[in-house]
Amino acid sequence: MSDTRERDIHTWGNWGQGPSFWRRVAKADQRLLLLDYDGTLAPFTPERDRAFPYPEVPELLRALQQAGRTRVVLVSGRESSVVARLLGLDPPPEIWGCHGGEHLAPDGTLTPVSLSDTQRDGLRQAAALADEAGAGTNLEYKPGCVALHWRGAQEAGLRTTANMLHENWQKLSQTFALALHPFDGGLELRAAHLSKAHAVKTLVAEVPAATSAAAYLGDDRTDEDGFAALGECGLSVLVRKQWRPTLASLWLVPPEELLQFLRRWLQAARHGDDETI
Ligand SMILES: [Mg+2]
């Protein structure tokens, strides 16, 4: 994970650079709105297959796409197809799934995760270790990743199992070109080349820096890779109920401040020529 800092972060109510940012969004030839899903657009729930977005989010994203010149892109650790189902937009927006390893284009074209045989072997061994430890029901399988979830889990021994797996998965990571990533409520082992930074760098390179506006909104430690990749090319936004050290320069408390941010972006997109914005 990237280094984080504890200074220079602004809240929604104390964001001095807000007016100049919204002017930039209003006047931009192209706008890039990059959004993590879980914890950012949708509240956490122990039932991961029912993590639906906050009310009003799908309508706002659809309106942003229809307003034109805003490329709405989801960047998630989940598979693209799962994000598309949970978000509920038809057609779905562009989605980079599996931490930037998988790409679902707006026309429905899916580019899958690319893995070496070595990485596949390592992930199989990691899953087998979790099964042997009795944690199989808490395991999530995704292309290029296995993840152990303990958010909402009732088993008292699961954290002990997780600590043991942490040690064993760490050893596997060194042999099989994998990387271990703790996240809020779990632990993930994934192919070392998979990172949200890849998606962000690819997207930023596709728009002209001088005449575009970009923002990345995320909540978790994996989003710090996205914040770092965006750098000075756009606005990094931490969306989280509780503040934590981060590279982001703006902190929004969901859902209300997130919705205000999206509404404000929509206003700027719709009235781009209005000098009062
Ligand atoms: Mg998240």
Side-chain angles (χ1 to χ4, degrees):
M1 190 181 72
S2 309
D3 290 339
T4 56
R5 62 187 181 196
E6 297 193 19
R7 61 184 187 280
D8 296 341
I9 188 147
H10 302 278
T11 63
W12 180 243
N14 182 29
W15 185 30
Q17 293 79 27
S20 64
F21 177 76
W22 295 121
R23 274 195 299 276
R24 183 177 180 88
V25 173
K27 294 176 185 302
D29 290 333
Q30 295 183 50
R31 309 179 184 96
L32 205 49
L33 181 56
L34 313 182
L35 303 157
D36 169 55
Y37 185 73
D38 289 275
T40 300
L41 298 183
F44 283 114
T45 165
E47 297 175 277
R48 285 179 43 77
D49 62 347
R50 296 187 57 78
F52 299 117
Y54 292 113
E56 203 183 328
V57 163
E59 296 94 305
L60 279 167
L61 298 189
R62 181 180 289 116
L64 280 163
Q65 289 180 301
Q66 290 172 346
R69 288 187 291 154
T70 293
R71 188 170 170 186
V72 176
V73 185
L74 275 287
V75 183
S76 175
R78 294 204 200 224
E79 290 177 73
S80 304
S81 60
V82 177
V83 176
R85 176 179 63 78
L86 292 171
L87 185 61
L89 281 180
D90 186 19
E94 179 178 357
I95 302 173
W96 288 76
C98 301
H99 298 283
E102 181 188 81
H103 181 235
L104 180 66
D107 67 1
T109 305
L110 183 73
T111 305
V113 172
S114 172
L115 289 178
S116 68
D117 290 342
T118 300
Q119 289 170 323
R120 289 180 206 281
D121 285 348
L123 291 168
R124 270 195 291 268
Q125 291 191 33
L129 283 171
D131 275 336
E132 287 167 17
T137 55
N138 296 88
L139 209 58
E140 179 190 14
Y141 300 90
K142 298 179 286 187
C145 320
V146 288
L148 181 70
H149 294 270
W150 54 73
R151 182 185 299 276
Q154 300 300 313
E155 302 92 76
L158 189 58
R159 292 300 294 264
T160 306
T161 304
N163 288 337
M164 183 270 288
L165 276 179
H166 189 289
E167 191 174 323
N168 289 333
W169 283 8
Q170 184 74 53
K171 290 175 189 165
L172 285 177
S173 71
Q174 293 158 9
T175 309
F176 293 92
L178 305 170
L180 197 59
H181 299 275
F183 62 92
D184 279 349
L187 180 68
E188 185 168 77
L189 185 68
R190 66 178 188 247
H193 65 288
L194 300 185
S195 162
K196 291 185 175 183
H198 168 65
V200 173
K201 284 179 184 171
T202 303
L203 290 159
V204 166
E206 291 177 1
V207 297
T211 57
S212 64
Y216 182 103
L217 279 64
D219 71 300
D220 210 339
R221 280 177 274 189
T222 64
D223 295 306
E224 294 296 328
D225 296 332
F227 297 156
L230 187 61
E232 299 303 313
C233 296
L235 176 71
S236 292
V237 184
L238 178 70
V239 180
R240 209 164 189 272
K241 301 260 185 190
Q242 291 85 32
W243 181 85
R244 61 161 173 74
T246 177
L247 286 171
S249 54
L250 175 65
W251 171 36
L252 300 178
V253 177
E256 190 48 42
E257 292 178 357
L258 164 75
L259 295 173
Q260 289 183 36
F261 183 94
L262 296 177
R263 290 184 202 124
R264 189 67 184 80
W265 187 296
L266 181 60
Q267 182 189 356
R270 282 178 170 166
H271 305 286
D273 296 323
D274 186 342
E275 289 296 324
T276 61
I277 288 181

